[in-house]
Amino acid sequence: MRVLKFGGSSLASVARFSEVAQIVLQQATTEQVCLVLSAPQGVTNTLVELTDLAYLGADFQSPLSQLEQRYQQLLAEVPGVSEVRRQQVQALINSQIQQLGWQLQGMSLLKFCPDHIKAQILGLGEQFSVALMTALLEGRGADVQALDSVKLVKSQGDFLNATADVAATATVIDAAMAATPASIYVMAGFVSSNAQGETALLGRNGSDYSAAVIAAAIKASACEIWTDVDGVYSADPRQVKQTRLIDRLSYDEAMELSYFGAKVLHPKTIGPLARVQIPCYIKNTLNPSAPGTCIDVEGDGEALVKGISSLEHLALITVSGPGLKGVVGMASRVFAAMARAQISVSLITQSSSEFSISFCVPQLHLVAAKKALEAEFELELQNKLLRPLAIQSDMAIVSLVGDGMRQHRGVAAKFFASLAQARVNVVAIAQDSSERSISAVVEQRSCQNAVKVCHENFFSHIPSIDVFLVGCGVVGSELLAQIERQQAFLQQRQVKLTVYGIANSKQLLLAKDGVDLKNWQPALAEANAQFSLAELNRFVQEQHLTNPVLVDCTSAQAVADQYADFLAAGFHVVTPNKKANTSSLEYYHRLRAVAQQQRRRFLYETTVGAGLPVIDTLQGLLNAGDQLLAFEGILSGSLSYIFGELEAGVPLSVVTAKARAMGFTEPDPRDDLSGMDVARKLLIMAREAGLMLDLSEVEVDSVLPAGFAAGANVEDFMAQLPQLDQAFAERLAAAKAEGKVLRYIGEIRDGKCKVAIKALAADHPLAKVKDGENALSILSRYYQPIPFVLRGYGAGAAVTSAGVFSDILRTLSWQQQV
Ligand code: ADP
Ligand code: ASP
Ligand code: MG
């Protein structure tokens, strides 16, 4: 005989009842079947609500009549039921509702709800399911017999959370089945009775356990748990999108997963089945042909980690103090107190010095747990042998489960690294001695992110990058186009890069499924939010994004000033904006400290030399023990272009206008000609190399004479620029006469930074650098006397965006840099 259990989700409507009947009739053609049923979905919750309302003296009439209507509707719609059976079910409904009304009335008057009465009430839904299903199956011509689970399933202990007695159940159930032979038996889940014959429940969600107990008692060939998902998944499918269906699990793995919160199976289900090695299958009523998950002795042993589960709404209690040290029996007193108060304890850790014991209890039972412990240890607390109980509320346990973890190293390391990546603070940890599961206690609010990131790292192998771009000028727009073009490539490489937000100085566009990069301009124009950390942070929390990256493609100081806050809130920051790294030294250090502390990256490769790999190379060398001795370079693409053209005889005013028209300069060319842009780049290099200077300490020789066109707007400035042509032509001619060329050079030497126009001999390496190229010559301890030179286009939207893009991808390797 097989046991088939159908949960509330499989009995939510008459259509579902019919599908269940279909599955059962099909199976009964090959083997005898014992059906175990839950209440129709939601009915047990309504019964709980009714008892709560009555107990509080509140009005319960409306939910009571809703329950009656639900029953009536199911009965009215059920097809093919004989009139006699219909009347029988109707009589059951009438007597249930009438008696329930009386019981609730009594409770309301007495303000008292004894557990044995509550147990009778909460189990009513299962009895209704049995009556309706029996009628339905009989109507389809099946040889069906309903059996009374209250009488036949025996249990001990608490009325609401009893433990089944398989042996006692076997005796009575065998006798009942022998007395009433049938092809299909129908029994209620959840309910049982104690030795005195009083109704006792097997705990919420306990019909799975009922099925297992019945299967073990009748030595069934298999126990099938039919629900609304295709089987057990690698994580709760409601929490994580890309979960994997698990084909096979060992009993131990299933037990750990369900114990630590996988709701698909009641935690007590596996025990009775494992003892007599009955295989268990998790199947989907909505998709009966799917193979489901098979749980047996072997599992499949292949996968290292099978699943991740979480147990939420817990409190962590810590009992500590000198009185615990070396005193025999203290731990047993702690847990005996919990057992007496009927509080289940879900994770225990003890410090190795025996100075403290910590454990989790359901948040709902915290007050009772505290009371029980304070009563148990009253004397010790009074005499300060124990410290006052330490309580951490709103906690959750995240667990990693898999038999294969035993033979492999590094799983725990990856688990904790994943938690760190999700920026989850681990409050306590425990590993079962069989090394089949590792659990971490985390704050409730970080639980979902923790599960998501662990799942990503252990299962999906598709890390995600969640981009928020601020500034969509030339570089920002080009970046979006590049990301759009690269999507297919990234997907192939198993990287999920999504742009969730785009902002300019006025508007902020946020899109839950990612912005459509083909069409972002009109969407941004219509957006009515504004860029702010609070707005972005709210979005990140709501969408449970785990790898948010702020990409700043503005040149605004105001945005740069917010990086520290963004890092603190868990964003990586990627930027070509030079302002942050050239602000005060205090801010410079703070940015790095926050990034380090939050395990977030602050990446700014494109602030010097645009797409050229300058910063990363320099950092790499310095980390490896190199030391910067001197630096010389052409750091401005626009000045490189302008000085190249000057050399060809084009007047300063003409080449500047040309460069401006071609978009090579900043909107105001004075930003380039003043040398400030180069000064900032030089300062970034210097600080990188350990020279802690301020911008004011960089000596700048401007292309423009001091005070030139002061106060003029850009157009007036451009109109006045020809006044400088003559002087420049002469300066150039003088250099030429000596066989030299003029170049705008940034230099670090003897601990000082200097930006100036220099006349270079024709064979100087930088003399040939023009047309917008950059060249950086680094003389270091390792690279001397011939310096290490980097050369290439150092300006332009395409190369700069590509550099930013590559920084964005570097946020994936989240591990801390040295
Ligand atoms: P039933 O009413 O059939 O007893 P439950 O709601 O008790 O169904 O259990 C099934 C639900 O368990 C699924 O719909 C799913 O949302 C949830 N669940 C939680 N964790 C898992 C998991 N690891 N695998 C599958 N389902 C899970
Ligand atoms: N109907 C009961 C409950 O909702 C038992 C079950 O569904 O397993 O808890
Ligand atoms: Mg269930």
Side-chain angles (χ1 to χ4, degrees), residues 248-251 253 295-302 306 403:
R248 285 186 79 174
L249 282 171
S250 69
Y251 289 127
E253 287 171 329
I295 303 169
D296 61 10
V297 191
E298 310 258 318
D300 68 3
E302 265 179 29
K306 287 289 181 56
D403 284 343

Side-chain angles (χ1 to χ4, degrees), residues 5 205 208 263-264:
K5 177 259 169 178
N205 218 4
D208 301 338
K263 193 196 167 207
V264 66

Side-chain angles (χ1 to χ4, degrees), residues 31 70 277 468:
E31 197 174 356
R70 175 104 194 267
Q277 302 202 351
F468 295 86

Side-chain angles (χ1 to χ4, degrees), residues 670 673-674 702-712 717 720-721 723-724:
R670 277 173 292 192
L673 296 172
S674 69
S702 168
V703 175
L704 307 168
F708 180 78
F717 162 75
Q720 292 178 42
L721 200 52
Q723 297 169 18
L724 301 181

